[in-house]
Amino acid sequence: MKIAFFGLGHMGGPMATNLLKAGHELTVFDLQSALVDGLAAQGAIAVQQPADAVIDADVVISMLPSGKAVSSLYLGEQGILRHIASSALVIDCSTIDAATAKHVSRQAQQAGISMIDAPVSGGVAGAAAGTLTFICGGSEEQVAQAEPVLLQMGKKVFRAGDHGAGQTAKLCNNMLLAIHMIGTCEALQLGADHGLDPKVLSEIMLASSGRNWSLELYNPWPGVMENAPASRGYAGGFAVNLMNKDLGLAVEAAMDSGTNTPLGALAKSLYALHASEGSGQLDFSSIQQMFARDS
Ligand code: NAD
């Protein structure tokens, strides 16, 4: 297939590499030319203008940082929607607000183009290993059409519901992730402050009712889990700034629906504070440091 790929950052870069490995003809664009050059060196076709990437494309994929970036790529005078063939399928994998996802897919529909939202879970490691989970919003037919290409970058494809539903499901997940990460950090700090070994405490809680994903696969205490970001100075992984963005979207979604999410709001405040103290680029499990500093 001919695939146009926009956004070659931490996630988009390895996702694009996996599509090249699968044998597709890939045309790429990013605002940072060094990232485009990196993919071109692997066999992708580089273009100077976004519109040039989508001519003749069967599938268009974007992996961008924000709703604003997604709107500016697809819509308006300079937007690529007007250059995409009506037979093409557009898949936006960025994590953005559901309202923008719905708006852009509606504009696509009015231009006769099929578009779904398909934000991902699995992080940079999952993008590199091709084990991402895609959480899609769109019609059953559209998601079924996208599935074969998504499975070349991931292992699971879910349909959460109609357009925008993929974004909503992703935000619910990440709000819960932030809450149980913070809870895990608090519990480990409390134990350590009372003289417990965090590794032993982790083993006890893993075999007890406090068990959760953060504790099991992403332990935030340095040295407890060899491959976790905590054991390499919280480098790499899922940045505090991105978690902060997702929590902002979750809080906005809660306000839209009038849903009471006090723990989500508290998690948002704690991550915003952590980011403002210079930790924005660290992995999100570094929120452990906030409790250590205050103890
Ligand atoms: P990133 O900042 O590394 O990459 C984003 C890329 O998009 C950058 O290279 C930027 O130059 C490019 N870009 C911005 N506007 C553009 C435009 N108009 N046209 C072309 N390129 C443009 O971010 P990332 O970590 O790759 O994250 C991308 C998306 O994936 C975000 O929405 C993020 O929330 C989501 N996500 C990230 C992770 C993670 O662990 N990093 C995990 C799950 C989901």
Side-chain angles (χ1 to χ4, degrees):
M1 276 196 294
K2 289 187 176 177
I3 301 179
F5 203 109
F6 294 88
L8 305 168
H10 292 101
M11 296 294 289
M15 290 164 71
T17 296
N18 283 332
L19 292 175
L20 274 176
K21 284 185 190 160
H24 297 292
E25 183 181 316
L26 200 71
T27 307
V28 294
F29 180 82
D30 193 289
L31 299 177
Q32 301 180 52
S33 57
L35 297 176
V36 175
D37 293 346
L39 261 295
Q42 297 172 46
I45 302 162
V47 291
Q48 298 301 319
Q49 296 298 326
D52 296 340
V54 299
I55 311 283
D56 294 339
D58 303 305
V59 176
V60 176
I61 300 175
S62 47
M63 191 50 164
L64 304 181
S66 63
K68 208 170 154 193
V70 170
S71 295
S72 89
L73 175 67
Y74 286 101
L75 307 180
E77 286 292 306
Q78 305 296 321
I80 59 171
L81 263 188
R82 57 180 58 217
H83 301 282
I84 298 174
S86 58
S87 55
L89 173 68
V90 180
I91 307 172
D92 180 40
C93 295
S94 324
T95 300
I96 61 170
D97 59 293
T100 299
K102 280 185 206 165
H103 177 66
V104 179
S105 69
R106 209 176 301 121
Q107 298 293 311
Q109 195 183 0
Q110 281 168 10
I113 298 163
S114 228
M115 178 170 188
I116 64 167
D117 44 297
V120 307
S121 175
V124 177
T131 56
L132 293 171
T133 295
F134 290 87
I135 308 166
C136 304
S139 72
E140 284 181 18
E141 297 74 32
Q142 289 171 328
V143 175
Q145 196 190 344
E147 190 164 340
V149 72
L150 295 180
L151 287 176
Q152 289 173 330
M153 299 179 284
K155 284 267 179 267
K156 282 189 191 148
V157 176
F158 288 103
R159 178 178 176 265
D162 230 322
H163 296 97
Q167 298 296 350
T168 304
K170 159 89 186 177
L171 295 182
C172 293
N173 179 72
N174 277 24
M175 184 179 80
L176 180 57
L177 170 62
I179 292 168
H180 68 62
M181 176 55 80
I182 293 169
T184 300
C185 293
E186 268 185 21
L188 289 172
Q189 189 67 50
L190 179 64
D193 289 348
H194 283 267
L196 300 188
D197 177 345
K199 191 165 188 167
V200 174
L201 177 58
S202 295
E203 282 164 16
I204 292 167
M205 294 195 292
L206 274 176
S208 309
S209 45
R211 182 176 183 173
N212 67 77
W213 185 93
S214 295
L215 192 62
E216 189 173 3
L217 297 171
Y218 219 87
N219 198 298
W221 196 278
V224 170
M225 197 172 276
E226 201 182 324
N227 295 323
S231 298
R232 50 171 193 268
Y234 299 105
F238 181 48
V240 167
N241 282 338
L242 286 177
M243 177 54 95
N244 204 20
K245 177 190 90 167
D246 290 359
L247 288 168
L249 295 174
V251 168
E252 273 173 32
M255 283 172 72
D256 278 354
S257 54
T259 308
N260 195 10
T261 56
L263 292 183
L266 180 57
K268 163 78 185 115
S269 298
L270 290 171
Y271 270 104
L273 181 60
H274 189 42
S276 75
E277 290 179 337
S279 303
Q281 301 299 334
L282 296 180
D283 177 74
F284 81 110
S285 63
S286 64
I287 199 141
Q288 181 73 65
Q289 294 174 330
M290 186 181 261
F291 296 98
R293 207 164 33 239
D294 290 342
S295 66

